[in-house]
Amino acid sequence: LTSVLTMEAKSVLVILPVLLGLGLAHNSQPVESALKRQLLASYDKDVKPSGQVTVRFGMWLNDLELCPHKGVLKTHSWNLLEWTDDRLKWDSEAFPETYTLNIPASKIWKPDLTFYNQRGEQKLTYAPESEVYAVVTSNGTVYYIPPAHQKTKCTVNYDNWPWSEQNCTMTVGSWTYNMNDLDIQPYQDESMGLLDSPVSADIFDNDHFEILGTSYKREEVLYPCCPEPYPKMEMSIRFKRVKQFEHGELKVTFSKLE
């Protein structure tokens, strides 16, 4: 079993760059098509997998901009969600050459993770949801990596603006499920660039800002309405604007993320 899971993990790591870079993937092999039809024949995407579902969440930060007037942090990222759905398992001995399947994310259940402090609507960027595929392994593990654009509330540090150090926090959790149904945990994997924090700046591509560090805190919150706790995760990004000079003069460029 260990060797099978290792092969699956390696296969996922190979597929992820394709999934991320192209935003879609297609399986045309007859065996894989038959397996996909078998798994989805009686599958109800509106029903959560049975029991408590543990969702591991991570984020590869690609770009950001801070609006000082509205106190809004705008970020582009690849958001990584991993969970297990027993309904998507298959017998790896019956399909010895098929360790993973690429399935349209619109056809399977997905956790309703939401940024609690978001401003406006969270959007997928490079492709509509119907074209973003999830990678599913034979043991039912689902990897869903939508390229996303989110706006979240941030308390701006105006001291020495615009060169002041900023610390913005994004709070994520399920919108409807309590701890008995869905738990959220940080995705931490050194091979994926996510070790001490579920937020990685490995692919950050904006030379106007320097990422100083990331951190997270997970909490279980009790509300007056309900006896069950609701887990949430606060992810913080520390950054500052980089001073740039042109012809000996200090230059300040403000970009706009749509």
Side-chain angles (χ1 to χ4, degrees), residues 25 36 40 102-108 129-134:
K36 189 183 299 183
L40 299 179
N102 296 349
I103 299 178
S106 60
K107 294 184 179 296
I108 64 173
E129 183 183 11
S130 60
E131 296 180 350
V132 176
Y133 278 59

Side-chain angles (χ1 to χ4, degrees), residues 194-210:
L194 303 166
L195 182 57
D196 298 323
S197 168
V199 181
S200 170
D202 285 356
I203 63 168
F204 187 72
D205 187 25
N206 186 335
D207 58 7
H208 297 295
F209 291 96
E210 177 186 357

Side-chain angles (χ1 to χ4, degrees), residues 46-48 109-112 116 174-182 229-231:
D46 295 324
V47 176
K48 183 185 74 67
W109 177 88
K110 297 182 295 298
D112 62 342
Y116 293 164
S174 170
W175 191 246
T176 61
Y177 295 112
N178 61 49
M179 180 75 175
N180 294 335
D181 293 319
L182 190 149
Y230 285 78

Side-chain angles (χ1 to χ4, degrees), residues 230-246:
Y230 285 78
K232 67 176 183 177
M233 195 162 62
E234 296 180 353
M235 302 174 296
S236 298
I237 304 171
R238 292 191 304 109
F239 62 94
K240 67 177 182 179
R241 183 175 291 276
V242 177
K243 293 183 178 181
Q244 296 178 325
F245 294 86
E246 185 176 287

Side-chain angles (χ1 to χ4, degrees), residues 108-122:
I108 64 173
W109 177 88
K110 297 182 295 298
D112 62 342
L113 294 191
T114 304
F115 288 97
Y116 293 164
N117 60 337
Q118 74 179 24
R119 295 295 183 266
E121 182 182 0
Q122 183 180 1

Side-chain angles (χ1 to χ4, degrees), residues 151-162:
K151 298 180 181 180
T152 50
K153 178 68 177 176
C154 178
T155 301
V156 180
N157 176 17
Y158 294 103
D159 294 339
N160 193 34
W161 174 266

